[in-house]
Amino acid sequence: MKKFFMAAAGGTLAGVIATTQVAGPLLAQEASANTNVYQQLDLFGDIFERIRAQYVEEVDEADLIEAAINGMLTSLDPHSGYLPPEDAETMRVRTSGEFGGLGIEVTQEEGFVKVVAPMDGTPADQAGILAGDFITHVDGESLLGLTLDDAVELMRGPVGSEIIVTVVREDVDDPFDVSIVRDTIKLTAVRARTEGETVVLRVSTFSDQTFANLRDGLEKQVEEAGGIDNINGVVIDLRNNPGGLLNQAIRVSDAFLEKGEIVSTRGRNPADGDRFNATPGDLSDGKPIVVLINGGSASASEIVAGALQDHRRAVVVGTKSFGKGSVQTVMPLRGDGAMRLTTARYYTPSGRSIQALGVTPDIVVEQPRRDPNAEEEEGRELRTEADLRGSLDNDSLTEDEIRQIEEDRAKIEEAAKLREEDYQLAYAIDILRGLSALDVE
């Protein structure tokens, strides 16, 4: 027993020594790292004091600290940043669906402001600003070298005031100026209408109104059509939708899914990840769906498109989406400001991240750009057998059957006219008409 005790004690002592030997370097490294952090903070304090004391002009100390905080956050990625109290309030108002401004969602690329998407019916949209445009100057002042927040600040101003933005556009040789009059932006998150037998849900943003607008709009269109059996499908138009609230993207996806994962988020700490699943119930009663996307479809739009695509619940049509696959958390700070910090990436049900890659449509359809200088070609009516004098009547159909055929043809020809106005939407409607003809659901 004595020998056993001594052996055990010796083993314990050896374990203590071994642990000390391993832990020693780790503790030293941690202490060294802390020392470096404190040294860097001391360096920051030295620089702050020298600027305050020796800069050529007197500076506002609060502005200096705010700029330092914002610089730290914006160095992480394009979507992190500091929100001063007034900007934090603007963001809160904006997600409620009403705010002042031009009506464009922007990001920063190559030092300039890039338009993610103009919002439907806003001054920027009406002035002809397009997704993918670069804004290089505001009222003649260059945006090169400014932070995104500073550039956006230059574009803000009183409602009713005019702003001149200089735009660089792909396929246009020279920069050009666009005049925009600032206005109060009142967004209708979802506009619903019926084209032929197809319900079109134009989702322009994901604010706290989006799901309710979508549900009510779809129900109204179905009621006006005389019931869901008179609808051949639904087009969810997410083109130029810059995103918004994650929970609204989840609810819109859930509206057309019976079960399964909608989206998952994964942060640096695996324990912080979330998974969101669909609940039973489909607002469209299983009708075919086409989702329209383009390069201005970002963030929450990509969650919806990716979820419906992965579940094979919808055919995705258009062009590759923007590729913003990260989640930002807005954290309130003292003094009524806030910090917008990228905290996670999100993944579609199949486990793919769309960060920087975007959602690839099942069917790629470009939207032809109309040449404003091109002359309209006059169409020429072609003569048919029925136009010939003395032609024989069709004796296989009754007058009612002939009338029905002519009515159906008129609907198809009316839908075809839409191609001149919106080729991508017309293509989506044609897909649903084709599925209906095959009785595919």
Side-chain angles (χ1 to χ4, degrees), residues 14 46-48 54 161 163 166 205 231 244 333 367 379 388 408 427:
D46 289 344
I47 293 172
F48 176 80
Q54 299 177 16
S161 60
I163 179 175
T166 303
T205 187
I231 298 297
L333 301 173
Q367 183 82 301
L388 299 179
D408 290 343
Y427 196 104

Side-chain angles (χ1 to χ4, degrees), residues 55-293:
Y55 185 65
V56 64
E57 295 178 354
E58 187 174 347
V59 294
D60 187 301
E61 297 171 0
D63 288 345
L64 275 182
I65 295 174
E66 197 172 281
I69 293 170
N70 194 49
M72 178 168 55
L73 287 165
T74 56
S75 70
L76 300 173
D77 66 83
H79 307 293
S80 295
Y82 173 68
L83 299 172
E86 60 274 15
D87 292 349
E89 178 60 24
T90 297
M91 173 173 263
R92 285 189 284 270
V93 171
R94 178 172 177 172
T95 55
S96 70
E98 182 175 331
F99 55 95
L102 303 180
I104 50 175
E105 183 78 13
V106 295
T107 186
Q108 197 161 38
E109 189 174 303
E110 298 176 4
F112 292 109
V113 172
K114 183 178 182 180
V115 177
V116 175
M119 299 170 187
D120 289 353
T122 61
D125 182 38
Q126 293 168 355
I129 298 295
L130 301 178
D133 284 349
F134 282 91
I135 298 177
T136 62
H137 294 74
V138 171
D139 290 331
E141 183 175 344
S142 174
L143 302 184
L144 185 62
L146 295 182
T147 66
L148 184 60
D149 286 341
D150 287 342
V152 169
E153 189 62 33
L154 280 179
M155 289 186 274
R156 292 195 178 118
V159 170
S161 60
E162 183 186 28
I163 179 175
I164 305 294
V165 297
T166 303
V167 174
V168 172
R169 179 173 296 167
E170 186 180 1
D171 299 330
V172 177
D173 292 336
D174 299 318
F176 57 93
D177 290 339
V178 177
S179 171
I180 307 175
V181 177
R182 299 179 179 97
D183 199 358
T184 299
I185 309 301
K186 295 181 180 179
L187 291 180
T188 301
V190 182
R191 290 184 172 90
R193 72 181 194 274
T194 299
E195 293 280 352
E197 297 175 340
T198 302
V199 175
V200 179
L201 300 172
R202 168 61 186 149
V203 185
S204 56
T205 187
F206 286 89
S207 69
D208 56 13
Q209 308 167 6
T210 300
F211 172 73
N213 284 177
L214 180 138
R215 179 196 59 212
D216 295 345
L218 178 57
E219 289 176 352
K220 181 180 179 183
Q221 296 303 309
V222 169
E223 182 181 348
E224 291 179 355
I228 195 70
D229 290 339
N230 296 324
I231 298 297
N232 67 12
V234 177
V235 173
I236 303 174
D237 187 354
L238 299 175
R239 291 173 299 173
N240 294 331
N241 183 323
L245 300 176
L246 174 63
N247 70 323
Q248 291 293 310
I250 292 168
R251 295 189 71 185
V252 168
S253 302
D254 192 8
F256 302 101
L257 293 173
E258 293 282 1
K259 61 181 180 179
E261 182 181 308
I262 294 172
V263 67
S264 62
T265 62
R266 304 176 207 168
R268 185 167 66 181
N269 184 351
D272 293 336
D274 277 314
R275 191 180 303 273
F276 302 91
N277 296 313
T279 55
D282 181 346
L283 291 183
S284 68
D285 198 26
K287 291 290 182 178
I289 297 173
V290 173
V291 174
L292 279 177
I293 61 171

Side-chain angles (χ1 to χ4, degrees), residues 327-350:
V327 179
Q328 282 68 48
T329 302
V330 178
M331 307 173 184
L333 301 173
R334 65 183 69 182
D336 295 327
M339 175 172 63
R340 185 176 59 235
L341 186 66
T342 299
T343 53
R345 288 182 172 89
Y346 65 74
Y347 297 80
T348 68
S350 64

Side-chain angles (χ1 to χ4, degrees), residues 303-428:
I303 290 176
V304 175
L308 297 182
Q309 184 183 55
D310 280 2
H311 282 286
R312 298 187 178 181
R313 182 64 187 90
V315 179
V316 179
V317 173
T319 55
K320 184 174 73 69
S321 62
F322 186 76
K324 181 181 177 293
S326 59
V327 179
Q328 282 68 48
T329 302
V330 178
M331 307 173 184
L333 301 173
R334 65 183 69 182
D336 295 327
M339 175 172 63
R340 185 176 59 235
L341 186 66
T342 299
T343 53
R345 288 182 172 89
Y346 65 74
Y347 297 80
T348 68
S350 64
R352 58 179 168 146
S353 168
I354 62 167
Q355 176 61 29
L357 294 177
V359 173
T360 301
D362 299 305
I363 304 174
V364 174
V365 179
E366 298 280 351
Q367 183 82 301
R369 291 192 178 183
R370 301 188 64 180
D371 184 353
N373 300 318
E375 296 182 2
E376 295 288 338
E377 294 185 7
E378 295 184 5
R380 183 169 62 90
E381 292 285 341
L382 296 177
R383 289 168 62 84
T384 67
E385 171 72 16
D387 297 321
L388 299 179
R389 182 179 300 174
S391 62
L392 298 176
D393 293 332
N394 188 311
D395 62 355
S396 67
L397 301 173
T398 66
E399 289 186 6
D400 287 342
E401 288 172 330
I402 291 173
R403 187 180 304 109
Q404 185 62 50
I405 288 174
E406 290 175 344
E407 289 176 359
D408 290 343
R409 179 183 296 133
K411 290 180 181 178
I412 293 172
E413 289 174 350
E414 185 66 28
K417 292 179 182 178
L418 184 62
R419 295 191 191 117
E420 299 177 9
E421 179 183 330
D422 190 338
Y423 183 81
Q424 289 174 323
L425 178 57
Y427 196 104

